[in-house]
Amino acid sequence: MAKRLSSGDAKAYDFLMDAFYQKLCSYAYTLTKDHGRAEDIVQNVFVEVWTNRKKINPNFSIKNYLYKSVYNEFIDQYRKNKPVIFLEKKYMEALDLVIEKEEENLDELIKLVNVEIDNLPKKCKHIFLLNKKEGLTHVEISEHLGVSIKTVEGHITRAFKILGEKLGKKVDTILFLLYNPGTRIQLLKEN
């Protein structure tokens, strides 16, 4: 079968689809617990098999190759989605922390944070906002302003210290909600 497939035999490909598609979907479902994702994985595998058919080793067990490909595709998708899942989790934790006390109003907390950021020393505020609001790394800020990375780190550390003293434990949470791009979009949609 692998030989026929690697030679470009479309009937061999159709046979594989008929023989293994449902079985591979069932296997993928055991990994994902989601029928739609399971089918997407299997479809991606079959597209890859056809696209790379000339590279398939004719001595391979095609069945093992397909199952291993489904597993690898699942792992690839998991890795791609992991940062998103992590960010969503952090966002929900942040919201829970902020909203845990009903008497505290989110809008008031955001205004308070913005006032305290405005009160930071001028250079400290500028570097802090370049990092948090604009998303620049310490190295990028250093190059942009012509200062050392240590200077950038010092100003950001100072900003966090000042804000922590003024705002308490929730400063990190509020800053995450304010300056995480995905969070800003979500907050805009809700308001």
Side-chain angles (χ1 to χ4, degrees):
M1 185 60 63
K3 285 179 188 175
R4 287 178 56 198
L5 191 61
S6 64
S7 70
D9 184 343
K11 287 183 181 179
Y13 181 76
D14 291 343
F15 175 79
L16 283 179
M17 287 284 291
D18 292 341
F20 289 102
Y21 186 83
Q22 287 303 322
K23 292 174 186 173
L24 292 172
C25 283
S26 296
Y27 171 61
Y29 178 77
T30 65
L31 301 170
T32 64
K33 304 295 186 233
D34 179 314
H35 290 291
R37 280 188 60 214
E39 284 193 46
D40 286 346
I41 287 171
V42 173
Q43 288 168 4
N44 289 346
V45 165
F46 275 108
V47 168
E48 283 294 311
V49 165
W50 183 253
T51 304
N52 298 318
R53 64 190 177 278
K54 292 182 178 156
K55 297 177 187 173
I56 293 175
N57 184 337
N59 299 321
F60 277 171
S61 159
I62 199 72
K63 178 181 177 183
N64 291 346
Y65 177 78
L66 289 171
Y67 277 89
K68 184 70 174 168
S69 296
V70 166
Y71 179 77
N72 289 340
E73 179 70 16
F74 164 73
I75 295 298
D76 287 348
Q77 285 190 11
Y78 174 78
R79 286 183 181 142
K80 285 177 191 167
N81 292 330
K82 190 175 178 183
V84 173
I85 292 166
F86 176 77
L87 261 180
E88 286 174 357
K89 183 179 175 198
K90 282 291 180 195
Y91 172 68
M92 294 310 293
E93 287 172 2
L95 271 180
D96 287 346
L97 278 174
V98 169
I99 299 170
E100 70 188 14
K101 293 184 180 177
E102 289 177 27
E103 69 271 9
E104 290 183 351
N105 185 331
L106 182 59
D107 290 334
E108 289 175 25
L109 284 170
I110 290 170
K111 284 177 190 171
L112 185 60
V113 168
N114 284 325
V115 165
E116 293 305 329
I117 289 171
D118 281 340
N119 289 336
L120 289 171
K122 188 176 178 180
K123 191 158 189 160
C124 186
K125 173 185 165 185
H126 182 61
I127 289 174
F128 181 78
L129 289 175
L130 283 174
N131 179 249
K132 295 299 168 197
K133 194 171 187 178
E134 304 301 323
L136 297 179
T137 65
H138 293 192
V139 173
E140 290 169 332
I141 296 168
S142 166
E143 290 171 1
H144 176 68
L145 298 178
V147 296
S148 73
I149 294 173
K150 288 283 184 200
T151 299
V152 172
E153 290 170 351
H155 281 293
I156 291 173
T157 301
R158 183 175 176 204
F160 271 113
K161 186 175 184 219
I162 292 168
L163 293 172
E165 289 169 358
K166 301 274 185 179
L167 301 168
K169 294 178 183 177
K170 292 189 180 179
V171 68
D172 290 339
T173 303
I174 299 292
L175 290 172
F176 177 80
L177 289 172
L178 277 176
Y179 296 122
N180 176 295
T183 305
R184 284 201 304 270
I185 292 165
Q186 186 65 33
L187 287 172
L188 288 173
K189 284 181 185 173
E190 291 171 1
N191 290 329

